[in-house]
Amino acid sequence: MLLLTTRMRRWLAGLLWALSLHAAHAVPVEAPELTAALTRLKDAPLAELGDAVQVVAAIRDDRVPGLLKALLEGRLYAVKADGRVVYATPADEGYAVSDALSGQSLGSKGRFEVKKIAINNTVRNSLNGLIARLELSVDDPAQRLKAVEAMSQSADAAAIELLRKQFEVEADPKVRGALVLALALADIAGADKEKRLVAIRSLEGTLDQEARNRLNALVEKDDEGEYLESDEDIRNAALAVIKHIEFELQLNRLAETLFFGLSLGAVLVLAGIGLAITFGVMGVINMAHGELMMIGAYTTYVVQRLLPDHLDVSLFVAIPAAFLISGLVGIAIERGIIRFLYGRPLETLLATFGVSLFLQQSVRSIFSPLNRSVSTPAWMSGSVEINHALAFTLNRFYIVVFSLLVFVALLAILKRTRLGLEVRAVAQNRSMARAMGIPTDRVDALTFGLGSGIAGVAGVALSQLTNVGPNLGQSYIVDSFMVVVFGGVGNLWGTLVGGMSLGLVNKLLEPYAGAVLAKIIILVFIILFIQKKPRGLFPQKGRAAEG
């Protein structure tokens, strides 16, 4: 019995020892050194706060970065009753607090039961550097990259030494690149000529703005025309690197211009592709085409108002809705007005111009004359950064893709469906098509509805680039006709090539001629072009072309 009692005691002792180890692992032990440092931080007057922060940062403890971040973000408080330092977050009529060392929740405290450990701008700047140094050794490469970039902004001798040590063990290529840049910028400002030359040459090809500023500073002159940098070798090396960087920048600017040209071309294709059907295939000069685009844009606005909590999917609802609504309006216009005016293009011009004014005024009466803002979904926001000098915005990228999808879908409808076959038959020879039993009146209505529906889809895309207003369509009606005439009346491939070409040329001319003069130059070019080739780049046989 006595032996059993002894074994039980040993077993219980082992169990308690294991439980104590587990408890020690689950809840960090309050290190006396850290506890004392926090007490000093809590009680320090503002003038001594910087020194107290330095004492905390010098302690090798995994909890220190979190404590400094909480201090920087204003979440570090002290409980007035017992002086315990806690993390505090605003809650109902007070704060939800947890112990800063153990992390254990302490429930809620009233607003007057805790006191915030306040800091000034000097301490705030110091905290940024200290936190960056502490985060330099974390496992997450993205966090290390941020730490390197933060330290390079205001690197002192100690920080540079830390960066050099980190460079020796760093394996992530992005972080190594940032380290090379940070060390090169530090060496450029040094006194060792050889190190400065090596640092300057290492910046060849970099597009970082800070690096360019430092290099440009080496070749600047003062008011008396004297170089600020006295060493000629340093200046020559900097000039050579700057020349190379300028060449790289020009290439990036060209790539950016081409991207903007493609995105503008995509918008022109979307605006003109519907007109390529109504004007190119049917021979109707539809001056209300821009207002059909406006209806599509307003449909997007209404759908977003109806689905305020589902902005990311609202566009997928707006696209078919805009197609249907604009298409139905187009069919109504064709059945109500256009069908009485076939063969009389000037009358259709005047009639559709009146329709456009009616639609504009209707929108003003329903939605007011003021422009409406359409939100961009999260997946279309932001940009993709290629390098420090080149970034592509996602909304324009998606519009390029969207215009190509619309083009392929429309081409498939006209080439692969019965409706497309009937449309082409009526366009080439109406009398023969009617004699073959094709209901030409129904085909006319559906064709006009198809072109109008595509205009509505174009309005959805435009709503992501500009505000939605009653005058939205007028901004694109001239461009739409230019694209159709330049590409070839009635030819979809001509519309694609014409739209993209005009978009690229427009953006290439803008830096030299300005936006307005560039449009005028393009308009003059198209006028001269159609004097030589009246049927455009890709002539198409059809009712309009034969006329």
Side-chain angles (χ1 to χ4, degrees):
M1 185 66 184
L2 183 61
L3 181 61
L4 184 61
T5 303
T6 303
R7 287 180 178 177
M8 289 181 64
R9 286 177 179 174
R10 289 177 179 173
W11 183 81
L12 287 173
L15 179 61
L16 290 173
W17 179 74
L19 289 174
S20 65
L21 284 180
H22 176 73
H25 180 73
V27 180
V29 174
E30 295 186 7
E33 189 181 10
L34 184 56
T35 304
L38 284 182
T39 302
R40 178 181 175 183
L41 179 69
K42 168 179 65 73
D43 297 330
L46 203 56
E48 300 176 6
L49 193 58
D51 295 336
V53 169
Q54 294 287 349
V55 171
V56 175
I59 298 173
R60 299 182 65 83
D61 193 296
D62 293 342
R63 291 166 289 185
V64 170
L67 288 166
L68 296 183
K69 277 187 176 179
L71 180 62
L72 180 64
E73 296 167 359
R75 295 186 290 109
L76 203 60
Y77 283 67
V79 180
K80 291 181 180 177
D82 56 9
R84 179 179 293 191
V85 179
V86 296
Y87 295 132
T89 54
D92 295 337
E93 299 181 357
Y95 296 93
V97 299
S98 59
D99 189 273
L101 292 176
S102 66
Q104 291 178 331
S105 173
L106 301 178
S108 60
K109 298 287 183 183
R111 296 185 182 279
F112 300 105
E113 295 182 81
V114 293
K115 180 184 178 183
K116 182 180 179 180
I117 302 178
I119 59 176
N120 55 21
N121 286 335
T122 305
V123 176
R124 191 172 288 108
N125 294 333
S126 174
L127 280 170
N128 283 318
L130 291 171
I131 292 171
R133 294 183 190 187
L134 293 171
E135 290 181 340
L136 200 59
S137 58
V138 299
D139 295 332
D140 185 8
Q143 203 169 349
R144 292 202 304 275
L145 181 62
K146 287 183 180 178
V148 172
E149 290 173 347
M151 291 177 68
S152 64
Q153 295 296 322
S154 56
D156 51 20
I160 294 301
E161 188 59 31
L162 283 174
L163 292 176
R164 291 191 195 282
K165 290 180 180 177
Q166 183 64 28
F167 180 74
E168 295 174 358
V169 298
E170 182 59 58
D172 185 82
K174 285 188 176 179
V175 183
R176 281 186 69 86
L179 285 167
V180 168
L181 179 62
L183 294 176
L185 294 179
D187 288 342
I188 284 179
D192 190 324
K193 180 178 177 179
E194 291 303 319
K195 279 189 175 181
R196 297 182 72 191
L197 289 172
V198 171
I200 291 171
R201 294 187 187 109
S202 70
L203 294 178
E204 186 170 324
T206 184
L207 298 175
D208 181 76
Q209 183 62 48
E210 179 63 22
R212 283 184 276 159
N213 292 339
R214 296 283 188 90
L215 290 170
N216 288 324
L218 295 176
V219 296
E220 285 182 352
K221 295 180 179 178
D222 57 17
D223 296 337
E224 299 177 354
E226 298 294 332
Y227 283 106
L228 297 177
E229 171 57 48
S230 58
D231 194 311
E232 186 177 359
D233 293 336
I234 297 291
R235 295 200 305 269
N236 291 336
L239 279 173
V241 174
I242 289 172
K243 187 177 179 180
H244 184 80
I245 290 176
E246 286 297 327
F247 178 71
E248 295 279 343
L249 287 175
Q250 287 180 359
L251 291 180
N252 282 280
R253 291 191 195 105
L254 177 61
E256 186 180 52
T257 302
L258 292 177
F259 173 72
F260 278 112
L262 284 177
S263 64
L264 176 61
V267 172
L268 294 178
V269 169
L270 281 173
I273 199 169
L275 195 66
I277 297 174
T278 56
F279 176 58
V281 176
M282 301 180 67
V284 176
I285 302 176
N286 182 17
M287 294 300 290
H289 182 76
E291 279 60 43
L292 294 169
M293 294 165 59
M294 174 196 70
I295 290 175
Y298 270 101
T299 302
T300 311
Y301 168 72
V302 172
V303 169
Q304 285 199 351
R305 293 294 300 268
L306 294 176
L307 301 172
D309 298 328
H310 302 85
L311 289 180
D312 285 347
V313 298
S314 63
L315 276 187
F316 298 105
V317 179
I319 290 171
F323 180 83
L324 286 175
I325 293 173
S326 298
L328 289 174
V329 172
I331 290 174
I333 295 173
E334 199 278 340
R335 289 291 83 187
I337 300 174
I338 302 295
R339 67 170 175 157
F340 303 109
L341 302 173
Y342 281 127
R344 291 181 287 175
L346 290 179
E347 281 84 344
T348 61
L349 186 151
L350 291 174
T352 53
F353 180 68
V355 171
S356 72
L357 295 178
F358 170 77
L359 292 176
Q360 287 180 36
Q361 188 55 45
S362 299
V363 166
R364 288 191 182 94
S365 302
I366 297 172
F367 297 99
S368 91
L370 301 177
N371 286 345
R372 301 294 180 180
S373 176
V374 175
S375 301
T376 301
W379 51 273
M380 286 186 70
S381 303
S383 59
V384 178
E385 184 176 326
I386 308 302
N387 54 48
H388 292 291
L390 180 62
F392 295 147
T393 53
L394 284 176
N395 60 345
R396 290 185 176 275
F397 173 77
Y398 281 118
I399 285 176
V400 173
V401 175
F402 181 65
S403 70
L404 295 177
L405 291 176
V406 171
F407 175 81
V408 171
L410 186 58
L411 201 63
I413 289 174
L414 293 179
K415 297 290 186 184
R416 302 291 182 183
T417 65
R418 181 179 179 82
L419 174 62
L421 180 64
E422 292 178 347
V423 168
R424 285 183 287 141
V426 173
Q428 291 179 7
N429 194 320
R430 168 180 283 269
S431 301
M432 181 62 73
R434 183 180 295 166
M436 295 296 292
I438 296 175
T440 53
D441 290 344
R442 185 171 66 88
V443 171
D444 285 338
L446 291 178
T447 305
F448 201 88
L450 178 63
S452 302
I454 297 296
V457 171
V460 178
L462 289 176
S463 69
Q464 300 303 307
L465 293 178
T466 183
N467 288 328
V468 176
N471 299 323
L472 182 144
Q474 293 180 350
S475 305
Y476 292 93
I477 186 66
V478 176
D479 291 336
S480 301
F481 276 103
M482 281 201 305
V483 168
V484 174
V485 171
F486 177 65
V489 177
N491 191 304
L492 293 183
W493 285 103
T495 303
L496 178 68
V497 175
M500 289 295 181
S501 302
L502 294 180
L504 285 171
V505 172
N506 198 340
K507 287 298 176 185
L508 288 172
L509 286 176
E510 276 186 4
Y512 307 100
V516 176
L517 187 56
K519 277 186 177 291
I520 294 173
I521 292 174
I522 290 175
L523 183 60
V524 172
F525 166 74
I526 291 178
I527 292 172
L528 296 175
F529 179 80
I530 62 177
Q531 298 299 315
K532 292 289 185 183
K533 298 191 70 173
R535 294 188 177 182
L537 286 174
F538 299 92
Q540 173 78 2
K541 288 185 178 180
R543 203 181 306 169
E546 289 170 355

